[in-house]
Amino acid sequence: MNSPLKPGKVWLVGVGPGSPDLVTVRAVRALAAADVWLVDDLVAPEMSCYARPGTHVEWVGKRGGRCSVTQARIQQLTLQHALAGRTVARVKGGDPLLFGRGGEEAAFLRAHGVPVEVVNGISSGMAAAQALGVALTHRAHCHGVTFVTGHTSEHGSPDWEALVRGGTTLVIYMGMSRLAAIRDGLLAAGMRPDMPAAVVMHAGGAEQRSWTGTVQALAEALAAGMASPAVVLVGGVVAEAMALPSELPSAVPAVP
Amino acid sequence: MNSPLKPGKVWLVGVGPGSPDLVTVRAVRALAAADVWLVDDLVAPEMSCYARPGTHVEWVGKRGGRCSVTQARIQQLTLQHALAGRTVARVKGGDPLLFGRGGEEAAFLRAHGVPVEVVNGISSGMAAAQALGVALTHRAHCHGVTFVTGHTSEHGSPDWEALVRGGTTLVIYMGMSRLAAIRDGLLAAGMRPDMPAAVVMHAGGAEQRSWTGTVQALAEALAAGMASPAVVLVGGVVAEAMALPSELPSAVPAVP
């Protein structure tokens, strides 16, 4: 047991894209070991199946959720629980180290003497590739993949010209609110208008839906009902998806 | 039960970077449901804890392993087992859709009428960031991350100039055999010599080791004993790791 003099450990736990069975064994154990969960809004409610009875669960999402808590406030909350000697699970969708603010939260807690450990998770971009039935890298199409955010106020606008010239598959997070601007940026950077593109909404989750087309037609995904949270994929690899029926994650057989 | 007339399902299962507890619940279930495992060399032997008693396990790695089987032969083997009505787990390290040849193997099997499902895994680049205690993206340093392979014969040499100009964090797979060439490529592309860089060997596995320094000093990682399998990280985010003691994954508390 922790005494109030000894800060509790904080687990920055990535619980993946939404489906409870896409959580790692390490994450399941960390979630079950926690006294307190501080949960981001986009985390699927189903994840609560991993909470120990009596766990104090608080939703602290910033993005149009039940409540709207600032990043600073979330960090303060986490620190307060840890300094009170509680084991805290800071529960995040995807992977805390990829657009998850995990680095900032870990640095803040360490600066206050709180032990922190990150548990990786499956990022929605990987789940989007799985949903489309394509790989993000393919020797025939590219030599790599770039994950960027289209959400300017958070990370600044990507250098589309450099990214297009780099020739990697592009996976764009938080881009649905500026899909037309992303299309224009890519075309102005010299990307061929018929470059295959896809949008996967709720990737890896129960309500998963996908749209496939081209960069030129990207904004049509909105008319097709695609909305946040969604991931945009752009690149030759996406063409492989066109040949397939769109695949929803099927039931996994239970252990015999 | 499958009859020989009905092909068995093939699960392309990513088992992550090496530690059995970094496997997803879905992967554990797929592994336990399989009659046959076809396992890549770099997969940790500990993963066999997830095999059902009586499972036929074959190691089919291509990279300097026990045996050396060509990609074509691996695909034929997988197909033969599936056409015989067996449920097959094609077991791969990391995520099958990121430098895992998962797209090629899935396309080949689908072309032969075999049902295929991919199970995402934690890629070694993400585990490397966890090992260093840094995020791959940080609003203060970059707006994204690029995963490339340094293994020219596989994917062609990356356009270092475009990648450096793109300003994303770089995560380089399969680069240890050409570390000096990668350093030269990055410097020739105009990257500052003192850009923070790190090498993480056996990321996420029991024998994990890391080196941190700068792009200029990258080749010194070899003298420090870093060797394949390893991931190279380059970018401002790596500086966050310098401030920290290098972190090995600690034991996770058991479920109470």
mmCIF file of all heavy atoms in Angstrom, chain B residues 60-81:
data_model
loop_
_atom_site.group_PDB
_atom_site.id
_atom_site.type_symbol
_atom_site.label_atom_id
_atom_site.label_comp_id
_atom_site.label_asym_id
_atom_site.label_seq_id
_atom_site.Cartn_x
_atom_site.Cartn_y
_atom_site.Cartn_z
ATOM 1 N N VAL B 60 9.453 -19.750 -39.389
ATOM 2 C CA VAL B 60 9.675 -19.541 -40.816
ATOM 3 C C VAL B 60 10.372 -18.207 -41.102
ATOM 4 O O VAL B 60 10.177 -17.606 -42.148
ATOM 5 C CB VAL B 60 8.332 -19.588 -41.587
ATOM 6 C CG1 VAL B 60 7.720 -20.973 -41.479
ATOM 7 C CG2 VAL B 60 7.383 -18.520 -41.047
ATOM 8 N N GLY B 61 11.148 -17.745 -40.146
ATOM 9 C CA GLY B 61 11.776 -16.431 -40.306
ATOM 10 C C GLY B 61 12.705 -16.364 -41.500
ATOM 11 O O GLY B 61 13.283 -17.364 -41.907
ATOM 12 N N LYS B 62 12.846 -15.173 -42.034
ATOM 13 C CA LYS B 62 13.735 -14.954 -43.179
ATOM 14 C C LYS B 62 15.072 -14.381 -42.756
ATOM 15 O O LYS B 62 16.043 -14.447 -43.484
ATOM 16 C CB LYS B 62 13.095 -13.968 -44.158
ATOM 17 C CG LYS B 62 11.801 -14.433 -44.740
ATOM 18 C CD LYS B 62 11.257 -13.442 -45.761
ATOM 19 C CE LYS B 62 11.053 -12.069 -45.172
ATOM 20 N NZ LYS B 62 10.050 -12.038 -44.098
ATOM 21 N N ARG B 63 15.112 -13.779 -41.531
ATOM 22 C CA ARG B 63 16.268 -12.951 -41.201
ATOM 23 C C ARG B 63 17.251 -13.633 -40.253
ATOM 24 O O ARG B 63 17.153 -13.503 -39.047
ATOM 25 C CB ARG B 63 15.807 -11.614 -40.621
ATOM 26 C CG ARG B 63 15.164 -10.736 -41.679
ATOM 27 C CD ARG B 63 14.301 -9.657 -41.080
ATOM 28 N NE ARG B 63 13.129 -10.211 -40.399
ATOM 29 C CZ ARG B 63 12.090 -9.465 -40.021
ATOM 30 N NH1 ARG B 63 12.102 -8.171 -40.240
ATOM 31 N NH2 ARG B 63 11.064 -10.013 -39.419
ATOM 32 N N GLY B 64 18.195 -14.386 -40.846
ATOM 33 C CA GLY B 64 19.284 -14.972 -40.067
ATOM 34 C C GLY B 64 18.819 -15.837 -38.911
ATOM 35 O O GLY B 64 19.403 -15.827 -37.842
ATOM 36 N N GLY B 65 17.731 -16.539 -39.118
ATOM 37 C CA GLY B 65 17.194 -17.322 -38.016
ATOM 38 C C GLY B 65 17.526 -18.791 -38.145
ATOM 39 O O GLY B 65 18.385 -19.172 -38.933
ATOM 40 N N ARG B 66 16.824 -19.578 -37.379
ATOM 41 C CA ARG B 66 17.050 -21.025 -37.368
ATOM 42 C C ARG B 66 17.047 -21.575 -38.791
ATOM 43 O O ARG B 66 17.934 -22.267 -39.222
ATOM 44 C CB ARG B 66 15.963 -21.706 -36.537
ATOM 45 C CG ARG B 66 16.017 -21.329 -35.056
ATOM 46 C CD ARG B 66 14.656 -21.503 -34.374
ATOM 47 N NE ARG B 66 14.544 -20.694 -33.162
ATOM 48 C CZ ARG B 66 14.390 -19.365 -33.185
ATOM 49 N NH1 ARG B 66 14.314 -18.728 -34.334
ATOM 50 N NH2 ARG B 66 14.311 -18.677 -32.076
ATOM 51 N N CYS B 67 15.970 -21.240 -39.523
ATOM 52 C CA CYS B 67 15.920 -21.660 -40.916
ATOM 53 C C CYS B 67 15.831 -20.391 -41.757
ATOM 54 O O CYS B 67 15.678 -19.298 -41.232
ATOM 55 C CB CYS B 67 14.666 -22.511 -41.152
ATOM 56 S SG CYS B 67 13.168 -21.620 -40.688
ATOM 57 N N SER B 68 15.960 -20.523 -43.033
ATOM 58 C CA SER B 68 15.837 -19.352 -43.883
ATOM 59 C C SER B 68 14.866 -19.659 -45.010
ATOM 60 O O SER B 68 15.197 -20.323 -45.982
ATOM 61 C CB SER B 68 17.206 -18.964 -44.444
ATOM 62 O OG SER B 68 17.092 -17.722 -45.109
ATOM 63 N N VAL B 69 13.644 -19.205 -44.847
ATOM 64 C CA VAL B 69 12.571 -19.501 -45.779
ATOM 65 C C VAL B 69 12.255 -18.235 -46.571
ATOM 66 O O VAL B 69 12.181 -17.147 -46.006
ATOM 67 C CB VAL B 69 11.316 -19.962 -45.000
ATOM 68 C CG1 VAL B 69 10.227 -20.402 -45.959
ATOM 69 C CG2 VAL B 69 11.659 -21.079 -44.035
ATOM 70 N N THR B 70 12.090 -18.385 -47.895
ATOM 71 C CA THR B 70 11.785 -17.206 -48.713
ATOM 72 C C THR B 70 10.348 -16.750 -48.459
ATOM 73 O O THR B 70 9.504 -17.540 -48.021
ATOM 74 C CB THR B 70 11.907 -17.538 -50.214
ATOM 75 O OG1 THR B 70 10.908 -18.518 -50.537
ATOM 76 C CG2 THR B 70 13.286 -18.104 -50.548
ATOM 77 N N GLN B 71 10.069 -15.488 -48.808
ATOM 78 C CA GLN B 71 8.720 -14.945 -48.655
ATOM 79 C C GLN B 71 7.719 -15.787 -49.449
ATOM 80 O O GLN B 71 6.637 -16.110 -48.956
ATOM 81 C CB GLN B 71 8.696 -13.490 -49.129
ATOM 82 C CG GLN B 71 7.357 -12.790 -48.972
ATOM 83 C CD GLN B 71 6.940 -12.613 -47.518
ATOM 84 O OE1 GLN B 71 7.780 -12.564 -46.617
ATOM 85 N NE2 GLN B 71 5.639 -12.561 -47.282
ATOM 86 N N ALA B 72 8.107 -16.173 -50.671
ATOM 87 C CA ALA B 72 7.203 -16.965 -51.518
ATOM 88 C C ALA B 72 6.885 -18.297 -50.847
ATOM 89 O O ALA B 72 5.738 -18.754 -50.833
ATOM 90 C CB ALA B 72 7.835 -17.199 -52.882
ATOM 91 N N ARG B 73 7.909 -18.900 -50.258
ATOM 92 C CA ARG B 73 7.727 -20.206 -49.604
ATOM 93 C C ARG B 73 6.828 -20.068 -48.368
ATOM 94 O O ARG B 73 5.951 -20.905 -48.134
ATOM 95 C CB ARG B 73 9.102 -20.770 -49.214
ATOM 96 C CG ARG B 73 9.070 -22.058 -48.400
ATOM 97 C CD ARG B 73 8.573 -23.262 -49.205
ATOM 98 N NE ARG B 73 8.446 -24.443 -48.335
ATOM 99 C CZ ARG B 73 7.426 -25.313 -48.384
ATOM 100 N NH1 ARG B 73 6.449 -25.132 -49.243
ATOM 101 N NH2 ARG B 73 7.391 -26.351 -47.563
ATOM 102 N N ILE B 74 7.010 -18.990 -47.611
ATOM 103 C CA ILE B 74 6.165 -18.757 -46.429
ATOM 104 C C ILE B 74 4.706 -18.640 -46.863
ATOM 105 O O ILE B 74 3.808 -19.249 -46.271
ATOM 106 C CB ILE B 74 6.597 -17.472 -45.698
ATOM 107 C CG1 ILE B 74 7.961 -17.662 -45.033
ATOM 108 C CG2 ILE B 74 5.550 -17.063 -44.658
ATOM 109 C CD1 ILE B 74 8.559 -16.376 -44.479
ATOM 110 N N GLN B 75 4.469 -17.902 -47.961
ATOM 111 C CA GLN B 75 3.097 -17.711 -48.427
ATOM 112 C C GLN B 75 2.503 -19.038 -48.901
ATOM 113 O O GLN B 75 1.342 -19.330 -48.635
ATOM 114 C CB GLN B 75 3.062 -16.639 -49.523
ATOM 115 C CG GLN B 75 3.435 -15.264 -48.966
ATOM 116 C CD GLN B 75 3.447 -14.121 -49.975
ATOM 117 O OE1 GLN B 75 3.797 -13.001 -49.615
ATOM 118 N NE2 GLN B 75 3.099 -14.393 -51.221
ATOM 119 N N GLN B 76 3.329 -19.856 -49.564
ATOM 120 C CA GLN B 76 2.857 -21.180 -50.013
ATOM 121 C C GLN B 76 2.496 -22.061 -48.811
ATOM 122 O O GLN B 76 1.450 -22.708 -48.798
ATOM 123 C CB GLN B 76 3.933 -21.860 -50.881
ATOM 124 C CG GLN B 76 3.956 -21.399 -52.332
ATOM 125 C CD GLN B 76 2.629 -21.645 -53.060
ATOM 126 O OE1 GLN B 76 1.869 -22.555 -52.726
ATOM 127 N NE2 GLN B 76 2.339 -20.790 -54.035
ATOM 128 N N LEU B 77 3.357 -22.063 -47.823
ATOM 129 C CA LEU B 77 3.112 -22.852 -46.606
ATOM 130 C C LEU B 77 1.797 -22.440 -45.958
ATOM 131 O O LEU B 77 0.964 -23.289 -45.603
ATOM 132 C CB LEU B 77 4.236 -22.613 -45.600
ATOM 133 C CG LEU B 77 5.378 -23.617 -45.497
ATOM 134 C CD1 LEU B 77 6.441 -23.105 -44.527
ATOM 135 C CD2 LEU B 77 4.855 -24.977 -45.047
ATOM 136 N N THR B 78 1.604 -21.133 -45.815
ATOM 137 C CA THR B 78 0.381 -20.611 -45.200
ATOM 138 C C THR B 78 -0.836 -21.075 -45.991
ATOM 139 O O THR B 78 -1.809 -21.592 -45.429
ATOM 140 C CB THR B 78 0.414 -19.063 -45.164
ATOM 141 O OG1 THR B 78 1.669 -18.628 -44.658
ATOM 142 C CG2 THR B 78 -0.692 -18.517 -44.285
ATOM 143 N N LEU B 79 -0.746 -20.925 -47.325
ATOM 144 C CA LEU B 79 -1.847 -21.324 -48.201
ATOM 145 C C LEU B 79 -2.162 -22.812 -48.058
ATOM 146 O O LEU B 79 -3.320 -23.206 -47.909
ATOM 147 C CB LEU B 79 -1.499 -20.991 -49.656
ATOM 148 C CG LEU B 79 -2.547 -21.365 -50.710
ATOM 149 C CD1 LEU B 79 -3.850 -20.608 -50.473
ATOM 150 C CD2 LEU B 79 -2.012 -21.093 -52.115
ATOM 151 N N GLN B 80 -1.099 -23.644 -48.059
ATOM 152 C CA GLN B 80 -1.314 -25.099 -47.959
ATOM 153 C C GLN B 80 -2.062 -25.466 -46.679
ATOM 154 O O GLN B 80 -3.027 -26.239 -46.721
ATOM 155 C CB GLN B 80 0.033 -25.832 -48.016
ATOM 156 C CG GLN B 80 0.633 -25.915 -49.415
ATOM 157 C CD GLN B 80 2.128 -26.252 -49.397
ATOM 158 O OE1 GLN B 80 2.630 -26.813 -48.414
ATOM 159 N NE2 GLN B 80 2.827 -25.896 -50.461
ATOM 160 N N HIS B 81 -1.635 -24.910 -45.566
ATOM 161 C CA HIS B 81 -2.309 -25.216 -44.300
ATOM 162 C C HIS B 81 -3.766 -24.751 -44.341
ATOM 163 O O HIS B 81 -4.663 -25.457 -43.889
ATOM 164 C CB HIS B 81 -1.573 -24.552 -43.135
ATOM 165 C CG HIS B 81 -0.324 -25.265 -42.716
ATOM 166 N ND1 HIS B 81 -0.339 -26.545 -42.205
ATOM 167 C CD2 HIS B 81 0.981 -24.881 -42.729
ATOM 168 C CE1 HIS B 81 0.903 -26.915 -41.908
ATOM 169 N NE2 HIS B 81 1.726 -25.924 -42.235
#
